[in-house]
Amino acid sequence: MFTGLIEQLGVIRSRVATPSGERLLVDASGWYHKPAVGESITINGCCVTLAADTQSTGGLLAFDTVPETLAKTTLGQLQPGDRVHLEQSATLATLLGGHLVQGHVDGVGVVQHIITDGEWRVRIAPPRELMEFFAPKGSICVQGVSLTVAALHPQDCWFEIALIPTTLAKTTLGELRAGSRVNLECDLIGKQVVHWIKHFGTTTRA
C-alpha cells in the first residue's frame, strides 16, 4: 500500500531483456530511503519489487517487469534518461497525506490538453470503463501522484486535475504534453463501493 506522495525522482539508466520480460535499472541517487531486496516500490504508480542488491548493480535499483506490466502500463515506454516517480510502501505509522494507493494500475489515460494560464490544469481521457469510478472532488492517482478530480465530464469521457506549484516542482507532471500517456489508479474505496452495488446492491436479505 502507498499514499501517492512522491518521495524521489529517479532516472531510468537502462532496460535489459530477461527470460521473463525486462529489468529496469533506476538511479535513485539522493533518496533517503534505501530499499532492501524484495521490497515493494512504485515507479510512476506501478508497484514493482526490488530484484537485486544495489551492491551488485553499481548502486542502481533493479526491478523485473513482465510483458503484462509493460503492455498495460506506461513502464513499457520508458527510455534511458527518463525521470520517474518513486515511493516506498506505507506502514501503519505513515502519515496519510495523499490517499490509499495499491500500485495496481487500472488503465492508461491520454492527456488531451493543458491549461497553464493562471491555474495549471491537465485534462485526461481515461479508458471509458473507468469513468464510473470517478467522482467530483474524489481522489485519483496519476503517474503515482495522489490528486483530486477538479472537473469531470462522464459523457465526453474526461477529467481534469489541478496542479499546485509544489506538485509541479516535485514531480514530472509539469512535463506532460497533449498526447502523453499516464498511469491511472482509481480510488480504492470508490471501486469497492461500485463493485458491491453492481453485484450485490439490489440483493435483499430476509
Side-chain angles (χ1 to χ4, degrees):
M1 192 68 73
F2 306 87
T3 70
L5 297 184
I6 303 307
E7 298 177 342
Q8 179 71 20
L9 289 177
V11 179
I12 299 294
R13 290 305 181 201
S14 67
R15 295 174 55 168
V16 181
T18 66
S20 60
E22 288 190 6
R23 172 166 289 191
L24 299 179
L25 292 171
V26 182
D27 184 350
S29 299
W31 194 7
Y32 63 85
H33 180 60
K34 306 302 178 186
V37 175
E39 186 173 334
S40 294
I41 302 291
T42 55
I43 299 180
N44 286 352
C46 181
C47 182
V48 289
T49 301
L50 188 66
D53 190 287
T54 53
Q55 292 184 347
S56 67
T57 59
L60 301 177
L61 303 182
F63 303 98
D64 290 334
T65 56
V66 296
E68 176 80 1
T69 301
L70 297 172
K72 297 294 181 66
T73 74
T74 63
L75 296 193
Q77 69 188 39
L78 292 174
Q79 298 298 323
D82 287 347
R83 298 196 302 163
V84 293
H85 300 145
L86 301 175
E87 183 189 355
Q88 64 176 306
S89 56
T91 71
L92 293 178
T94 302
L95 290 174
L96 191 59
H99 70 281
L100 295 176
V101 175
Q102 290 181 294
H104 301 165
V105 175
D106 292 312
V108 174
V110 179
V111 174
Q112 291 187 326
H113 73 259
I114 299 170
I115 301 171
T116 59
D117 184 15
E119 184 180 31
W120 194 300
R121 286 204 175 206
V122 180
R123 180 174 294 182
I124 300 171
R128 184 166 291 277
E129 63 269 20
L130 298 185
M131 284 306 303
E132 63 183 355
F133 304 125
F134 286 83
K137 307 304 179 186
S139 296
I140 180 66
C141 188
V142 179
Q143 290 290 83
V145 183
S146 173
L147 296 162
T148 300
V149 177
L152 181 63
H153 201 293
Q155 291 77 17
D156 290 336
C157 194
W158 59 258
F159 70 95
E160 287 183 355
I161 52 174
L163 303 179
I164 62 173
T166 299
T167 303
L168 292 169
K170 293 185 176 297
T171 74
T172 65
L173 297 185
E175 301 172 8
L176 294 175
R177 298 292 181 267
S180 295
R181 300 170 72 247
V182 291
N183 289 329
L184 301 176
E185 182 183 332
C186 298
D187 180 54
L188 170 63
I189 297 174
K191 287 188 292 186
Q192 297 300 317
V193 170
V194 170
H195 175 80
W196 193 92
I197 291 175
K198 288 179 68 174
H199 294 278
F200 308 106
T202 59
T203 300
T204 58
R205 296 183 179 181

